[in-house]
């Protein structure tokens, strides 16, 4: 039995970066506990939840029994529905009481992504603290939102609402926090429940990849620092040793994974650890999930007689289209774990190799561009928007301007307010705005943070656009906001990055829908690290290659006007030559 399932606590809390298999492991855990006779509630707090798809049941924002698994129910917290209800709870009492323009201003301040996070957190904490809601269940399993969301929500300061009520600062980004006062005790109780080792177990899910393990180590330290110390580590999707015997590609993957495991960050070595082997099948449906965490001999891969030969467009075709413009903004977007940083570096290296001036930058706190490139290159400038540095610069500016007029108490509250999740987004947005202005003269290739961060950034962009439009519209002067630049396909090409797997394609499609609602039309999709494009020979990898064909077809025929498929390479794409091999795999 897996260590994390031995004497399981009442609350099991799965977290980790996108793409590591949190949802599959959370669902498999729920099934195992329910089939052992326990009453289980499975809750997803992930904005991109696909728990319903995994079980083949329409779940949504209500407790729904899973018919095929007695004693198991599930709930998907819908962030948008929660935000709508939260807004109405705050605005409803003043509608018709305050002037319409004031009410409209309040609604505007509650339109951002911070509101969505806080509203979802409201529902999440109610499940942790309201015994009447959960009395019927012996175990409550949380398939969480991506790590950054979770940590920011758990660190919400307590004095924001008092600061707002005193009217001592600009509430433009703090509007959503005005309703926190009455929830303060509930939030405090929720964090206490999470920190109680008798009631809560945190399961950090990772892959056997050095970058992913480094990020999990940071998550472990951040959660431990706020009192959440009962942690287990699950390393998912490890290629079985037997597959390496007859296939050079499988042998290279196996060696790479074993090296990552041997060099696991020291902060993780003390944690109880489980390894879950890579399966030949997609983890959708009950039978697949039942096999995920068992000690039974694995199901033999279905026979796929020979390597699959794909004839799909590659990255070189996309680069030709990008290079033709001579300059512009190229933004790579997608959930965490799909390889945006590597692909951004590969695109930048190829454009620079063609003699075009390129600025490669990232707003992802977890990105390691310099590690990926290894060396400098003519025509290529590399930078990183450091969220901590940008936030500190922004904090100092606000304290020196708005803070200069406050008394000691007001200044202390302003300093606490500036530790809010919103502050980092505003600071990063300002740096982002500075850099994208360069795209009028050169290529700016931007590796964005995971999807949740990206949408927060775009939301800030939209708010800035609305404010500038209001101010400049009265003057008749010509102006261009960052949002206008992102919406103009002549200036910006958005590349959606995904994997040829069910969940990443679903989440990429959801991201595309969000971008379209913001008036941004993705230019192309990139399907990264495809086994089907790599001519794998091992039985397990051949079966996974066959499984990819349906997802590649969905991208080609349903989601993308243009797309490229990038093969899984034997060698990790580090250094300029290997990065160019992603563009020219047969060269």
């Amino acid at each position: 039995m897996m260590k994390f399932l031995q004497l399981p606590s009442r609350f099991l809390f799965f977290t980790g970066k996108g793409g590591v298999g949190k949802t599959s492991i959370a669902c498999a855990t729920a099934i195992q506990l329910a089939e052992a006779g326990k009453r289980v509630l499975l809750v997803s707090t992930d904005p991109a939840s696909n728990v319903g798809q995994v079980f083949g049941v329409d779940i949504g924002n209500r407790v729904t029994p899973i018919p095929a698994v007695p004693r198991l129910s599930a709930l998907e917290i819908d962030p948008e529905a929660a935000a709508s209800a939260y807004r109405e709870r705050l605005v409803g009492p003043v509608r018709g009481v305050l002037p319409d323009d004031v009410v409209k201003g309040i609604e505007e301040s509650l339109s951002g992504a911070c509101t969505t996070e806080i509203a979802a957190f409201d529902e999440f904490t109610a499940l942790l603290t309201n015994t009447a809601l959960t009395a019927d269940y012996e175990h409550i399993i949380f398939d969480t939102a991506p790590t950054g969301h979770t940590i920011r929500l758990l660190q919400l300061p307590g004095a924001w609402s008092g600061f707002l009520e005193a009217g001592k600062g600009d509430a433009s980004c703090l509007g959503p926090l005005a309703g926190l006062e009455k929830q303060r005790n509930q939030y405090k109780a929720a964090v206490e429940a999470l920190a109680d080792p008798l009631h809560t177990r945190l399961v950090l899910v990772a892959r056997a990849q050095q970058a992913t393990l480094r990020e999990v180590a940071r998550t472990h330290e951040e959660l431990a620092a706020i009192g959440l110390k009962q942690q287990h580590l699950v390393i998912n999707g490890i290629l079985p040793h037997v597959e390496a015997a007859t296939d050079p590609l499988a042998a290279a993957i196996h060696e790479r994974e074993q090296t990552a495991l041997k060099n696991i960050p020291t902060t993780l070595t003390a944690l109880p650890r489980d390894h879950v082997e890579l399966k030949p099948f997609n983890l959708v449906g009950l039978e697949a999930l039942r096999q995920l965490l068992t000690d039974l001999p694995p199901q033999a891969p279905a026979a796929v007689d020979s390597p699959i030969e794909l004839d799909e467009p590659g990255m070189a075709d996309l680069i030709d289209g990008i290079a033709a413009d001579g300059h512009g903004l190229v933004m790579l977007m997608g959930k965490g774990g799909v390889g945006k940083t590597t692909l951004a570096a590969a695109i930048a290296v190829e454009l620079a190799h063609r003699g075009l001036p390129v600025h490669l930058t990232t707003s992802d706190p977890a990105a390691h561009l310099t590690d990926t490139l290894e060396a400098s290159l003519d025509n290529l400038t590399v930078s990183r928007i450091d969220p901590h540095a940008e936030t500190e610069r922004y904090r100092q500016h606000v304290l020196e301007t708005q803070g200069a007029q406050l008394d000691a108490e007001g200044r202390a509250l302003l300093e606490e307010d500036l530790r809010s999740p919103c502050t980092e987004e505003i600071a990063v947005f300002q740096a982002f705005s500075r850099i994208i202005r360069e795209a009028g003269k050169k290529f700016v290739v931007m590796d964005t943070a995971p999807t949740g961060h990206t949408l927060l950034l775009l939301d800030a962009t939209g708010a800035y656009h609305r404010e500038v439009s209001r101010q400049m519209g009265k003057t008749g002067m010509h102006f261009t906001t960052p949002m206008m630049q992102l919406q103009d396909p002549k200036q910006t090409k958005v590349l959606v990055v995904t994997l040829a797997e069910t969940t990443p394609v679903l989440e990429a499609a959801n991201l595309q829908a969000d971008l379209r609602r913001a008036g941004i039309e993705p230019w192309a999709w990139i399907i990264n690290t495809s086994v089907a494009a790599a001519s794998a020979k091992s039985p397990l990898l051949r079966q996974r290659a066959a499984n990819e064909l349906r997802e590649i077809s969905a991208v080609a025929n349903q989601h993308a006007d243009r797309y490229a498929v990038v093969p899984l390479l034997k060698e990790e794409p580090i250094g300029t030559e290997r990065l160019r091999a992603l563009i020219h795999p047969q060269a």
Side-chain angles (χ1 to χ4, degrees):
M1 177 186 280
M2 295 284 163
K3 292 187 183 75
F4 77 87
L5 277 170
Q6 293 172 6
L7 300 174
S9 56
R10 183 156 192 251
F11 296 114
L12 282 161
F13 194 93
F14 292 86
T15 192
K17 71 181 288 184
V20 295
K22 290 189 306 289
T23 297
S24 298
I25 290 177
C27 291
T29 299
I31 292 168
Q32 195 156 320
L33 290 173
E35 292 184 340
K38 305 295 185 182
R39 298 184 307 279
V40 180
L41 177 63
L42 173 63
V43 182
S44 174
T45 62
D46 191 332
S49 173
N50 69 318
V51 167
Q53 183 192 38
V54 167
F55 285 112
V57 175
D58 184 16
I59 295 173
N61 197 28
R62 66 196 184 285
V63 175
T64 303
I66 304 298
V69 186
R71 296 176 294 278
L72 175 60
S73 298
L75 165 68
E76 292 177 323
I77 293 177
D78 178 348
E80 292 304 325
S84 179
Y86 185 87
R87 278 192 293 270
E88 187 54 34
R89 195 161 75 238
L90 294 183
V91 178
V94 300
R95 194 177 281 117
V97 177
L98 296 177
D100 287 348
D101 61 333
V102 174
V103 173
K104 189 174 180 182
I106 296 171
E107 288 177 329
E108 177 92 355
S109 75
L110 294 171
S111 66
C114 279
T115 301
T116 304
E117 288 200 355
I118 291 164
F121 191 53
D122 260 358
E123 298 204 18
F124 163 74
T125 53
L127 289 167
L128 276 175
T129 58
N130 188 333
T131 52
L133 288 174
T134 59
D136 291 339
Y137 303 100
E138 293 164 275
H139 296 287
I140 296 106
I141 295 170
F142 290 95
D143 170 30
T144 71
T147 307
H149 284 239
T150 305
I151 292 170
R152 283 203 305 278
L153 292 175
L154 294 175
Q155 291 177 320
L156 284 172
W160 287 348
S161 43
F163 174 67
L164 287 168
E165 286 163 8
K168 291 180 177 176
D170 176 11
S172 61
C173 86
L174 300 176
L177 305 168
L180 284 181
E181 186 70 45
K182 64 180 103 176
Q183 269 80 30
R184 188 178 299 167
N185 290 335
Q186 180 173 304
Y187 289 171
K188 184 170 179 286
V191 173
E192 287 173 355
L194 285 169
D196 182 348
L198 297 177
H199 290 90
T200 299
R201 181 170 295 169
L202 286 156
V203 182
L204 306 173
V205 185
R207 291 289 179 114
Q209 301 162 349
Q210 290 183 357
T212 308
L213 290 169
R214 280 196 299 265
E215 184 159 335
V216 166
R218 279 195 298 274
T219 301
H220 159 64
E221 291 168 349
E222 289 171 326
L223 292 171
I226 54 176
L228 283 65
K229 295 180 179 176
Q230 177 73 325
Q231 299 182 26
H232 282 241
L233 176 63
V234 174
I235 300 179
N236 188 30
I238 298 173
L239 186 70
H241 173 69
V242 66
E243 297 293 322
T246 58
D247 182 357
L249 176 63
I253 294 169
H254 181 264
E255 182 178 351
R256 194 187 310 168
E257 290 181 343
Q258 293 305 309
T259 299
L261 293 174
K262 284 175 189 169
N263 297 315
I264 193 166
T266 53
T267 54
L268 298 176
T269 54
L271 294 181
R273 189 198 312 178
D274 291 300
H275 290 179
V276 179
E277 287 193 343
L278 185 68
K279 301 296 188 284
F281 44 82
N282 284 329
L283 291 164
V284 175
L286 290 177
E287 286 311 308
L289 290 167
R290 283 189 179 108
Q291 293 184 57
L292 180 59
L293 301 178
T294 63
D295 295 326
L296 298 173
Q299 183 186 59
V304 178
D305 294 334
S306 59
I308 291 167
E309 300 294 339
L310 274 190
D311 183 21
E312 300 287 349
M315 283 291 291
D317 298 331
L318 290 189
I319 301 285
D320 289 344
I322 293 169
D325 293 336
H327 64 86
L329 175 63
V330 181
M331 292 189 74
L332 285 89
M333 294 190 183
K335 63 177 280 183
V338 296
K340 295 186 302 297
T341 300
T342 299
L343 288 174
I347 290 169
V349 164
E350 178 64 18
L351 290 170
H353 196 265
R354 297 185 183 195
L356 298 162
V358 184
H359 180 176
L360 170 63
T361 187
T362 181
S363 63
D364 187 343
H368 302 277
L369 282 177
T370 51
D371 294 347
T372 302
L373 286 166
E374 282 196 330
S376 59
L377 195 67
D378 289 345
N379 305 314
L380 179 61
T381 305
V382 180
S383 72
R384 175 173 173 263
I385 297 174
D386 182 339
H388 295 297
E390 296 298 337
T391 302
E392 184 57 30
R393 185 179 296 129
Y394 177 77
R395 284 181 69 254
Q396 290 304 317
H397 173 73
V398 173
L399 289 170
E400 289 166 8
T401 53
Q402 296 180 27
Q405 313 303 318
L406 299 176
D407 58 22
E409 181 187 4
R411 188 175 174 87
L413 286 167
L414 178 60
E415 287 180 348
E416 181 168 356
D417 158 54
L418 288 169
R419 289 192 288 272
S420 83
C422 306
T423 301
E424 180 179 309
E425 300 303 334
I426 293 169
V428 168
F429 166 67
Q430 290 187 345
F432 165 76
S433 300
R434 287 196 300 271
I435 288 173
I436 67 174
R437 292 190 201 111
E438 298 178 24
K441 297 179 180 177
K442 63 171 69 169
F443 280 106
V444 175
V445 179
M446 187 162 197
D447 161 40
T448 65
T451 306
H453 274 249
T454 302
L455 295 180
L456 286 167
L457 182 142
L458 289 176
D459 183 76
T461 309
Y464 179 82
H465 169 77
R466 290 191 294 271
E467 183 62 30
V468 171
S469 298
R470 273 199 298 270
Q471 294 177 9
M472 300 299 291
K474 299 170 186 175
T475 67
M477 294 172 63
H478 175 75
F479 63 94
T480 301
T481 66
M483 180 61 95
M484 293 165 69
Q485 185 170 342
L486 295 178
Q487 291 169 333
D488 184 351
K490 293 179 182 175
Q491 298 186 65
T492 302
K493 288 182 169 60
V494 172
L495 308 178
V496 174
V497 183
T498 188
L499 306 175
E501 298 173 16
T502 307
T503 301
V505 169
L506 173 71
E507 293 182 340
N510 290 339
L511 170 61
Q512 178 161 269
D514 286 333
L515 291 169
R516 284 173 170 166
R517 279 194 288 275
I520 299 167
E521 183 62 33
W523 185 72
W525 282 44
I526 303 173
I527 301 170
N528 196 24
T529 59
S530 168
V531 182
S535 301
K537 297 181 177 64
S538 94
L540 187 150
L541 291 183
R542 285 209 305 266
Q543 181 58 50
R544 290 190 67 84
N547 293 341
E548 286 186 355
L549 298 181
R550 187 182 66 149
E551 304 306 327
I552 293 171
S553 175
V555 171
N557 298 312
Q558 298 172 33
H559 301 306
D561 290 332
R562 62 177 65 78
Y563 69 100
V565 180
V566 178
L568 175 64
L569 299 181
K570 282 197 292 185
E571 296 180 305
E572 201 162 358
I574 293 175
T576 55
E577 290 309 309
R578 292 185 192 171
L579 287 168
R580 291 198 71 217
L582 293 171
I583 312 297
H584 310 283
Q586 306 304 324

